[in-house]
């Protein structure tokens, strides 16, 4: 039930780009992305609701291929503040079943380290 | 966005004891969720806390070990019973936004069992 993330870890220099992938063996109706900094709780980044949907937040964007049951998170021109562990989350059930939207199954996470 | 407060934020507990974690939300929500994050691991859903009914537990989690209360629409507690060092984790409560498109997490309760 847990989505699979790759790579497990990424080390970047400031200004470089990175891609984090998330795939699911179960139907993927939507995808949540979170970032967790060391010693802190996870913070919501974005949700992708439709196949093919792309979203962006500052220089962090994501795509969602519902047919392939995959999502990718793109970090462009990385900043030091991007360091942390990124998790994708798969909600159980369809997006219209509101009672399941809080039940998320998370990938193992991708640890991103950005050096100056 | 929802504001979620958890107590305690951190605690060191003796093995064999129990600890109750509180989660307070600044708005009424139908569903509240409890997650566990063991050191270096991902977040794992423990249970869904429903107001007015029994909590629904995920596979591998049982009520005797993790009893949950949900007395009203803004509050829930999770008790970690008969703790062992393997229970050392971050415990987080979460709630969905009104349209369900965002899931907010509390700050977490960092538990160390010695």
């Amino acid at each position: 039930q847990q989505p699979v993330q790759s790579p497990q870890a990424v080390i970047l220099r400031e200004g470089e780009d990175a891609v984090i992938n998330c795939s699911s063996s179960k139907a993927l109706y939507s995808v949540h992305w979170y970032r967790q900094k060391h010693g802190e709780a996870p913070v919501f980044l974005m949700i992708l609701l439709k196949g093919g949907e792309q979203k962006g937040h500052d220089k962090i964007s994501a795509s969602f291929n519902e047919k392939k049951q995959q999502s990718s998170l793109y970090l462009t021109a990385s900043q030091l503040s991007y360091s942390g562990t990124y998790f994708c989350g798969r909600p159980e059930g369809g997006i219209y079943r509101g009672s399941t939207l809080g039940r998320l199954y998370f990938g193992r996470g991708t640890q991103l380290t950005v050096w100056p | 966005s929802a504001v979620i407060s958890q107590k305690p934020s951190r605690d060191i507990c003796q093995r064999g004891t129990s600890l109750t974690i509180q989660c307070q939300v600044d708005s009424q929500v139908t569903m509240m969720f409890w997650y566990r994050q063991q050191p270096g691991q991902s977040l794992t859903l423990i249970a869904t806390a429903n107001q007015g009914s029994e909590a629904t537990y995920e596979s591998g989690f049982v009520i005797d070990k993790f009893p949950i209360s949900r007395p009203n629409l803004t509050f829930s507690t999770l008790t970690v019973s008969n703790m062992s060092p393997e229970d050392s984790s971050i415990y987080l409560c979460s709630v969905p936004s009104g349209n369900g498109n965002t899931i907010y997490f509390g700050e977490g309760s960092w538990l160390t069992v010695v």
Side-chain angles (χ1 to χ4, degrees), chain B residues 13-74:
Chain B
C13 306
Q14 296 293 322
R15 68 176 66 200
T17 63
S18 299
L19 182 78
T20 296
I21 302 167
Q22 299 178 5
C23 179
Q24 178 75 53
V25 188
D26 68 343
S27 58
Q28 293 185 339
V29 291
T30 305
M31 315 293 276
M32 295 177 74
F33 302 88
W34 287 98
Y35 287 82
R36 180 178 74 180
Q37 187 176 29
Q38 294 176 303
Q41 302 298 313
S42 184
L43 295 92
T44 302
L45 180 64
I46 297 172
T48 303
N50 310 300
Q51 197 273 328
S53 64
E54 293 280 337
T56 305
Y57 289 83
E58 298 295 311
S59 175
F61 297 95
V62 295
I63 187 171
D64 290 345
K65 176 68 176 178
F66 298 101
I68 288 171
S69 78
R70 184 78 200 277
N72 57 54
L73 291 173
T74 64

Side-chain angles (χ1 to χ4, degrees), chain A residues 4 9 11 16 28 44 50 64 84 86 96 107:
Chain A
V4 176
I11 299 175
E16 292 181 338
L28 201 56
F44 174 80
K50 300 177 186 177
F64 176 32
Y86 290 79
Y96 298 112

Side-chain angles (χ1 to χ4, degrees), chain A residues 12-83:
Chain A
L12 299 172
R13 290 286 184 186
E14 209 172 0
E16 292 181 338
D17 302 339
V19 180
I20 299 172
N21 299 303
C22 176
S23 65
S24 174
S25 59
K26 295 194 73 173
L28 201 56
Y29 301 103
S30 64
V31 178
H32 296 235
W33 284 98
Y34 288 81
R35 177 172 61 205
Q36 185 178 29
K37 292 183 177 288
H38 183 69
E40 300 180 9
V43 174
F44 174 80
L45 290 177
M46 64 188 78
I47 179 174
L48 295 102
L49 293 173
K50 300 177 186 177
E53 184 177 33
Q54 295 192 4
K55 277 197 171 181
H57 178 70
D58 195 10
K59 292 182 179 176
I60 300 176
S61 61
S63 64
F64 176 32
N65 188 321
E66 189 175 357
K67 287 185 179 179
K68 291 186 177 180
Q69 297 174 180
Q70 295 175 345
S71 177
S72 294
L73 188 72
Y74 306 94
L75 299 101
T76 306
S78 297
Q79 305 169 18
L80 297 177
S81 61
Y82 288 1
S83 292

